[in-house]
Short mmCIF file of all heavy atoms in Angstrom, two decimals:
data_model
loop_
_atom_site.label_atom_id
_atom_site.label_comp_id
_atom_site.label_asym_id
_atom_site.label_seq_id
_atom_site.Cartn_x
_atom_site.Cartn_y
_atom_site.Cartn_z
N GLU D 74 102.63 149.54 115.88
CA GLU D 74 102.69 148.16 116.37
C GLU D 74 102.45 148.03 117.86
O GLU D 74 102.19 146.95 118.35
CB GLU D 74 104.05 147.56 116.06
CG GLU D 74 104.36 147.43 114.60
CD GLU D 74 105.73 146.85 114.39
OE1 GLU D 74 106.65 147.15 115.18
OE2 GLU D 74 105.88 146.07 113.44
N GLY D 75 102.64 149.08 118.61
CA GLY D 75 102.55 148.97 120.06
C GLY D 75 103.15 150.19 120.71
O GLY D 75 102.67 151.30 120.49
N TYR D 76 104.24 150.00 121.47
CA TYR D 76 104.83 151.10 122.22
C TYR D 76 106.35 151.06 122.19
O TYR D 76 106.94 149.99 122.15
CB TYR D 76 104.38 151.03 123.69
CG TYR D 76 102.89 151.11 123.84
CD1 TYR D 76 102.11 149.95 123.84
CD2 TYR D 76 102.24 152.34 123.94
CE1 TYR D 76 100.74 150.02 123.95
CE2 TYR D 76 100.88 152.41 124.05
CZ TYR D 76 100.12 151.26 124.05
OH TYR D 76 98.77 151.32 124.15
N LEU D 77 106.96 152.24 122.27
CA LEU D 77 108.40 152.38 122.43
C LEU D 77 108.58 153.15 123.75
O LEU D 77 108.10 154.27 123.89
CB LEU D 77 109.01 153.15 121.27
CG LEU D 77 110.52 153.22 121.23
CD1 LEU D 77 111.12 151.82 121.09
CD2 LEU D 77 110.99 154.11 120.10
N VAL D 78 109.23 152.51 124.72
CA VAL D 78 109.34 153.07 126.06
C VAL D 78 110.81 153.37 126.37
O VAL D 78 111.64 152.47 126.36
CB VAL D 78 108.78 152.07 127.11
CG1 VAL D 78 108.82 152.69 128.51
CG2 VAL D 78 107.37 151.62 126.75
N LEU D 79 111.10 154.64 126.64
CA LEU D 79 112.42 155.03 127.11
C LEU D 79 112.42 154.79 128.62
O LEU D 79 111.54 155.27 129.34
CB LEU D 79 112.70 156.51 126.80
CG LEU D 79 114.02 157.07 127.35
CD1 LEU D 79 115.22 156.35 126.74
CD2 LEU D 79 114.10 158.57 127.10
N THR D 80 113.41 154.05 129.10
CA THR D 80 113.43 153.59 130.48
C THR D 80 114.79 153.86 131.11
O THR D 80 115.82 153.63 130.49
CB THR D 80 113.15 152.07 130.52
OG1 THR D 80 111.98 151.80 129.77
CG2 THR D 80 112.96 151.57 131.94
N ARG D 81 114.76 154.36 132.35
CA ARG D 81 116.00 154.53 133.13
C ARG D 81 116.27 153.20 133.82
O ARG D 81 115.40 152.64 134.47
CB ARG D 81 115.84 155.64 134.16
CG ARG D 81 117.09 155.84 135.01
CD ARG D 81 116.97 157.06 135.88
NE ARG D 81 115.80 157.01 136.72
CZ ARG D 81 115.83 156.93 138.04
NH1 ARG D 81 116.98 156.90 138.68
NH2 ARG D 81 114.73 156.88 138.73
N TRP D 82 117.48 152.69 133.66
CA TRP D 82 117.83 151.39 134.24
C TRP D 82 117.88 151.46 135.77
O TRP D 82 118.36 152.43 136.36
CB TRP D 82 119.19 150.92 133.71
CG TRP D 82 119.61 149.64 134.36
CD1 TRP D 82 119.18 148.39 134.05
CD2 TRP D 82 120.52 149.49 135.44
NE1 TRP D 82 119.77 147.47 134.88
CE2 TRP D 82 120.59 148.12 135.75
CE3 TRP D 82 121.27 150.38 136.19
CZ2 TRP D 82 121.39 147.62 136.76
CZ3 TRP D 82 122.07 149.88 137.20
CH2 TRP D 82 122.13 148.51 137.48
N LEU D 83 117.35 150.39 136.40
CA LEU D 83 117.46 150.17 137.85
C LEU D 83 117.95 148.75 138.07
O LEU D 83 117.70 147.87 137.23
CB LEU D 83 116.08 150.34 138.52
CG LEU D 83 115.45 151.72 138.46
CD1 LEU D 83 114.02 151.68 139.01
CD2 LEU D 83 116.29 152.74 139.21
N PRO D 84 118.61 148.48 139.18
CA PRO D 84 119.04 147.10 139.45
C PRO D 84 117.84 146.16 139.59
O PRO D 84 116.84 146.53 140.20
CB PRO D 84 119.80 147.22 140.78
CG PRO D 84 120.14 148.66 140.91
CD PRO D 84 119.07 149.42 140.20
N TYR D 85 117.96 144.97 139.03
CA TYR D 85 116.90 143.97 139.12
C TYR D 85 116.83 143.50 140.58
O TYR D 85 117.86 143.20 141.19
CB TYR D 85 117.21 142.79 138.19
CG TYR D 85 116.01 141.96 137.85
CD1 TYR D 85 115.21 142.28 136.76
CD2 TYR D 85 115.66 140.85 138.61
CE1 TYR D 85 114.10 141.53 136.43
CE2 TYR D 85 114.54 140.09 138.30
CZ TYR D 85 113.77 140.44 137.21
OH TYR D 85 112.66 139.69 136.90
N PRO D 86 115.65 143.43 141.18
CA PRO D 86 115.53 143.02 142.59
C PRO D 86 115.87 141.55 142.79
O PRO D 86 115.93 140.77 141.85
CB PRO D 86 114.06 143.31 142.91
CG PRO D 86 113.36 143.26 141.60
CD PRO D 86 114.36 143.71 140.57
N LYS D 87 116.05 141.18 144.06
CA LYS D 87 116.40 139.79 144.39
C LYS D 87 115.28 138.83 144.01
O LYS D 87 115.54 137.69 143.66
CB LYS D 87 116.71 139.66 145.87
CG LYS D 87 118.00 140.36 146.26
CD LYS D 87 118.30 140.25 147.71
CE LYS D 87 119.61 140.99 147.98
NZ LYS D 87 119.90 141.18 149.35
N GLN D 88 114.03 139.28 144.09
CA GLN D 88 112.90 138.43 143.72
C GLN D 88 112.04 139.16 142.70
O GLN D 88 111.88 140.38 142.79
CB GLN D 88 112.06 138.09 144.95
CG GLN D 88 112.81 137.25 145.96
CD GLN D 88 111.97 136.99 147.19
OE1 GLN D 88 111.19 137.82 147.63
NE2 GLN D 88 112.12 135.80 147.74
N ALA D 89 111.48 138.41 141.76
CA ALA D 89 110.71 139.01 140.67
C ALA D 89 109.35 139.53 141.11
O ALA D 89 108.67 140.15 140.31
CB ALA D 89 110.55 138.01 139.53
N ASP D 90 108.95 139.30 142.35
CA ASP D 90 107.69 139.88 142.81
C ASP D 90 107.92 141.17 143.60
O ASP D 90 107.00 141.75 144.12
CB ASP D 90 106.89 138.88 143.63
CG ASP D 90 107.60 138.41 144.88
OD1 ASP D 90 108.82 138.64 145.00
OD2 ASP D 90 106.94 137.80 145.73
N GLN D 91 109.18 141.63 143.64
CA GLN D 91 109.51 142.87 144.34
C GLN D 91 109.67 144.01 143.33
O GLN D 91 110.22 143.82 142.26
CB GLN D 91 110.83 142.73 145.11
CG GLN D 91 110.77 141.74 146.23
CD GLN D 91 112.13 141.58 146.91
OE1 GLN D 91 113.17 141.85 146.32
NE2 GLN D 91 112.11 141.13 148.15
N MET D 92 109.20 145.18 143.73
CA MET D 92 109.34 146.35 142.88
C MET D 92 110.80 146.79 142.88
O MET D 92 111.45 146.79 143.93
CB MET D 92 108.46 147.48 143.43
CG MET D 92 108.57 148.77 142.65
SD MET D 92 107.36 150.03 143.15
CE MET D 92 107.74 150.27 144.88
#
Side-chain angles (χ1 to χ4, degrees):
E74 296 179 324
Y76 301 91
L77 187 62
V78 184
L79 175 62
T80 309
R81 179 172 56 114
W82 176 80
L83 296 173
Y85 200 88
K87 291 179 180 169
Q88 295 178 325
D90 61 346
Q91 295 176 337
M92 178 172 59

